[in-house]
């Protein structure tokens, strides 16, 4: 008999041998209790209540006892006698000590001493390490760092100046944990001469050093205070870092935030446990207090707060083991510290409400918990400062990502510019030659003569922008043969006959500016082949040549990758693994942007072939803003512009309203508009013979061309790409579309956006005139829209990487 299946049998797919992070943490937690639990309970806790009441700091002897026990050595390097445990394990130890301790500041001070030891070790200065590290590890000395001045680091009032062989320090550092009993301080000051950040080791007995106690609301046993520096003279060997101490401070702050959060976790766990235990014997109306639903709910919320805080802290701790971690700012550490502190504040409020009057009495631990948590949240950056830093990081990160993405697409666009320039050079050479035959035997003489003057002028403009001189007869045959090989490769790949190797490229064929243009064009060819064969998409994950090849010949793959690396489209890491430029991810993972990227590649490749053949672009499927780019533009229309085109959503909801599409690209734009604006019928105006049959039932096709709109069409939205349209045709189409709009309806005109680089602008113009269109002058489209009686004319959206802008106008 087949045993009954259970949901867990289907849903649980974990590897039985997998060790979870929770299991690893629990093992360290048990070790911490076994090794250090009795020390905290028997030596650190006794007297903590009265130390707090009398505002007496911890006795230095407790740190020496901790050193004897091996607490300080736990996470320090093995070469100095430490155990070399990672920060995840040390964070769990700090949390467990804070949970067991009646003094939440104790665990924080332990970690501060450990990290001061690490700071001195990181200096690499033997004289500092030999003098201080052994005593710090043994707990015979206690050190803290002093940076806080409530000012920007390069605006510190605390300064250092070099006089002969001595440094002279002046200033004050506030809010130092352990200041009242510390033996040494690592202070950060501004160099008067260079304005750079420097760090020094200052001993409490140095002349001019004065620790001052600071009265605070809570954390009374942490010895909070400030240190004053008055003409403190130090030998040169006390300098910890000669320059850029700010980076070291940021590294210190990064880990301190995580460890502060670990202390908060332990304190949270302990107060929740103590709160529940204190409520257990209480009765109200004959029932246990803990049996009331509102109490259960409050305890449940406290547990949820603890666990969410733990999740963020453990994620930050686990990240400390990654070699890719940012050495100066850790977003997860910042989040963990902020979130743990916020959770602690909320838990404190819940405890206060559950404990009633006792919560306000200093004889009970609840009032102290609230005071101490308020002290903990200001360390390592206030809550507001943490949020500001996270906001700055997010904004810079997102803007930087967009810049990288645009730069990557522009890099490929520059390769396309070179492709156009190389074809323009061949066309120009053929035009100036009386006779000639390409290397493959296909005559292309006089191909340029078959085009009208605007195309020939555009070719010459491309050559001028590229800085390429006319190709002489001695190079013309080599240039034609190179392009024959390029187009033959494309044809072979598209027919499924992928060769074993790349044909001969441009290396060594040309010199001067033409050599650079040919290399760029060959890079575009490699990019197109890699895109069409799926090689680029496979490079989203770093892989070897063999892994990248998949079903491609390995030799061809290796050669393609070499060209792509030279073109800066692909990078190689230290393990000889290849990966595509990170900025290209958004055009390779699929979706509207990917289809637009592929369409731009195909348009450049096809444009070069048509220029060689002396044929104009037929149809509008490949012009800018149509065909493969339609999906990206429809996505922008709905998700970015719908709320900015005033009244458009309401007009689309009117009975009988329709969307009119005059793209003339075989219905592809109309289908994309129907997909993005469902339940609104789309009218597609197409030439008498459509290139692609439309099967979408929400799209109705009317033949007759772009000017076939009728005033009875009741259009809420008219879509009219301008690329490839002669000026007269565009004017008629705008007039017809405007007349068909409902009052309040919008006409949107996708227009090519020429790059600012001269060669890119020239290549865009050649692309347009090859399709039979013109390059509109500045303001020309807007003038046509106003002349048609439309208002609120504006440039609604543009994307320089995509090379398109959307101009919109509304019918009053």
């Amino acid at each position: 008999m087949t045993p009954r299946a259970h949901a867990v049998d289907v849903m649980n797919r974990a590897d039985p041998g997998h060790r979870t992070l929770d299991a690893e943490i629990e093992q360290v937690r048990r070790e911490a209790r076994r090794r250090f639990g009795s020390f905290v309970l028997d030596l650190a806790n006794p007297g903590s209540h009265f130390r707090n009441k009398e505002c007496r700091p911890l006795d230095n002897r407790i740190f020496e006892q901790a050193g004897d026990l091996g607490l300080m050595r736990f996470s320090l390097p093995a070469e100095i006698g430490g155990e070399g445990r990672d920060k995840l394990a040390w964070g769990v130890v700090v949390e467990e000590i804070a949970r067991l301790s009646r003094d939440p500041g104790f665990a924080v001070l332990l970690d501060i001493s450990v990290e001061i030891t690490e700071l001195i070790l990181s200096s690499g200065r033997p004289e500092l390490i030999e003098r201080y590290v052994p005593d710090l590890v043994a707990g015979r000395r206690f050190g803290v760092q002093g940076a806080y001045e409530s000012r920007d680091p390069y605006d510190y009032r605390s300064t250092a100046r070099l006089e002969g062989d001595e440094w002279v320090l002046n200033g004050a550092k506030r809010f130092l944990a352990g200041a009242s009993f510390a033996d040494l301080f690592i202070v950060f000051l501004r160099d008067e001469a260079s304005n750079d950040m420097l760090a020094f080791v200052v001993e409490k007995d140095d002349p001019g050093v004065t620790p001052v106690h600071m009265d605070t609301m809570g954390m009374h046993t942490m010895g909070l205070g400030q240190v004053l520096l008055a003409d403190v003279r130090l030998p040169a060997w006390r300098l910890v870092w000669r320059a850029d101490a700010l980076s070291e401070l940021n590294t210190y702050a990064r880990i301190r935030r995580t460890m502060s959060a670990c202390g908060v976790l332990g304190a949270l766990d302990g107060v929740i446990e103590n709160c529940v235990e204190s409520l257990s014997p209480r009765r109200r109306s004959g029932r246990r207090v803990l049996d009331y639903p509102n109490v259960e709910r409050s305890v449940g919320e406290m547990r949820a707060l603890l666990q969410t805080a733990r999740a963020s802290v453990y994620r930050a701790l686990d990240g400390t083991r990654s070699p890719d971690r940012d050495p100066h700012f850790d977003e997860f550490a910042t989040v963990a510290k902020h979130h743990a502190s916020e959770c602690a504040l909320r838990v404190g409020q819940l405890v206060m409400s559950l404990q009633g009057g006792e919560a306000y009495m200093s004889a009970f631990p609840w009032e102290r918990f609230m005071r101490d948590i308020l002290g903990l949240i200001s360390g390592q950056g206030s809550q507001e400062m943490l949020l500001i830093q996270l906001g700055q990081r997010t904004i810079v990160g997102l803007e930087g990502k967009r810049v990288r993405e645009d730069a990557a697409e522009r890099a490929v666009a520059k390769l396309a510019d070179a492709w156009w320039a190389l074809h323009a050079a061949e066309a120009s050479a053929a035009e100036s030659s009386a006779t000639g035959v390409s290397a493959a035997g296909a005559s292309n003489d006089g191909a340029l003569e078959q085009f009208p003057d605007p195309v020939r002028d555009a070719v010459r403009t491309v050559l001028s922008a590229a800085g390429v001189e006319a190709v002489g007869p001695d190079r013309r045959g080599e240039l034609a043969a190179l392009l024959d090989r390029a187009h033959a490769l494309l044809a072979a790949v598209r027919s499924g006959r992928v060769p074993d190797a790349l044909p001969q490229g441009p290396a060594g064929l040309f010199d001067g500016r033409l050599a650079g243009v040919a290399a760029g064009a060959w890079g575009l060819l490699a990019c197109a082949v890699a895109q069409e064969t799926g090689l680029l998409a496979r490079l989203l994950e770093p892989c070897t040549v063999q892994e990248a090849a998949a079903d491609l010949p390995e030799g061809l793959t290796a050669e393609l990758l070499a060209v792509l690396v030279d073109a800066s489209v692909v990078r190689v890491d230290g393990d000889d693994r290849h990966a595509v430029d990170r900025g290209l991810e958004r055009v390779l993972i699929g979706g509207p942007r990917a289809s637009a990227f592929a369409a731009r590649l195909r348009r450049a490749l096809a444009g070069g072939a048509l220029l060689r053949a002396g044929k104009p672009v037929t149809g509008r499927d490949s012009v800018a803003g149509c065909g493969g780019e339609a999906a990206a533009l429809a996505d922008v229309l709905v998700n970015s512009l719908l709320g900015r085109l005033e009244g458009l959503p309401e007009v689309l909801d009117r009975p009988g309203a329709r969307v009119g599409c005059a793209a003339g690209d075989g219905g592809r734009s109309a289908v994309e508009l129907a997909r993005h604006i469902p339940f609104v019928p789309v009218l597609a105006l197409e030439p008498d013979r459509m290139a692609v049959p439309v099967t979408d039932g929400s799209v109705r096709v009317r033949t007759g061309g772009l000017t076939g709109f009728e005033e009875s069409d009741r259009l809420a939205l008219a879509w009219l790409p301008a690329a490839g349209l002669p000026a007269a045709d565009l004017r008629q189409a705008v007039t017809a579309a405007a007349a068909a709009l409902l009052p309040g309806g919008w006409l949107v005109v996708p227009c090519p956006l020429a790059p600012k680089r001269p060669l890119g602008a020239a290549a865009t113009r050649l692309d347009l005139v090859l399709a039979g269109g013109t390059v509109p002058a500045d303001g020309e489209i807007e003038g046509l829209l106003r002349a048609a009686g439309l208002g609120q004319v504006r440039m609604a959206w543009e994307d320089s990487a995509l090379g398109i802008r959307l101009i919109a106008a509304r019918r009053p």
Side-chain angles (χ1 to χ4, degrees), residues 572-642:
V572 185
D573 64 18
D575 297 327
D576 205 27
R577 304 181 77 84
H578 296 73
V580 75
D581 186 290
R582 291 186 181 90
L584 288 176
E585 181 178 351
R586 70 171 171 178
V587 299
L588 295 177
I589 60 175
R593 196 85 190 194
S595 64
F597 178 74
R600 295 199 303 280
L601 281 179
R602 288 195 300 270
R603 186 166 69 241
L605 297 171
L610 292 170
L611 190 61
R612 301 191 83 208
K615 298 178 181 178
V617 174
T618 57
R620 305 188 70 228
D621 184 60
S622 63
V623 298
C626 298
E629 292 175 322
L633 297 180
D635 182 71
V636 168
L637 172 69
V638 172
N639 294 305
S640 296
L641 295 184
L642 193 61

Side-chain angles (χ1 to χ4, degrees), residues 207-377:
V209 176
T210 306
V212 178
H213 173 73
M214 180 182 294
D215 289 326
T216 57
M217 179 190 299
M219 308 301 293
H220 293 162
T221 63
M222 283 187 66
L224 290 164
Q226 51 188 327
V227 59
L228 308 181
L229 307 172
D231 288 330
V232 178
R233 293 185 171 271
L234 299 179
W237 64 267
R238 293 275 200 95
L239 180 63
V240 183
W241 292 291
R242 297 184 182 277
D244 197 22
L246 181 59
S247 296
E248 305 298 335
L249 175 60
N250 288 336
T251 302
Y252 172 84
R254 177 195 67 176
I255 194 61
R256 275 296 307 132
R257 285 177 178 173
T258 309
M259 293 303 162
S260 293
C262 291
V264 173
L265 284 186
L268 268 180
D269 201 355
V271 79
I272 293 171
E273 182 178 345
N274 290 334
C275 178
V276 172
E277 287 182 358
S278 71
L279 293 175
S280 181
R282 296 188 190 179
R283 297 289 190 275
R284 291 290 185 272
S285 302
R287 296 175 60 189
R288 283 199 323 156
V289 167
L290 291 177
D291 291 337
Y292 281 86
N294 64 315
V295 175
E296 293 171 332
R297 184 250 177 234
S298 295
V299 174
E301 183 180 352
M302 288 192 289
R303 186 66 181 178
L305 290 164
L306 171 63
Q307 293 296 56
T308 57
R310 271 184 172 152
S312 63
V313 173
Y314 292 165
R315 172 64 181 81
L317 287 171
D318 191 39
T320 63
R321 305 190 286 191
S322 170
D324 298 326
R325 188 184 186 212
D326 188 324
H328 306 307
F329 182 84
D330 188 333
E331 182 175 29
F332 287 107
T334 305
V335 170
K337 197 270 178 181
H338 179 274
H339 186 60
S341 300
E342 292 294 311
C343 289
L345 287 173
R346 177 57 184 156
V347 167
Q349 290 176 327
L350 291 168
V351 168
M352 297 284 279
S353 66
L354 289 173
Q355 293 293 337
E358 289 186 2
Y360 207 65
M361 301 178 187
S362 60
F364 294 94
W366 327 119
E367 174 263 353
R368 179 182 176 186
F369 173 80
M370 284 299 292
R371 285 190 289 108
D372 290 346
I373 286 299
L374 290 173
L376 283 173
I377 66 173

Side-chain angles (χ1 to χ4, degrees), residues 649-658 679-681 713-716 742:
E650 291 75 15
V651 180
L652 287 169
D653 286 337
R654 290 183 188 176
R658 287 188 287 185
F679 313 117
V680 178
D713 281 333
R714 294 181 57 80
L715 299 182
L742 287 167

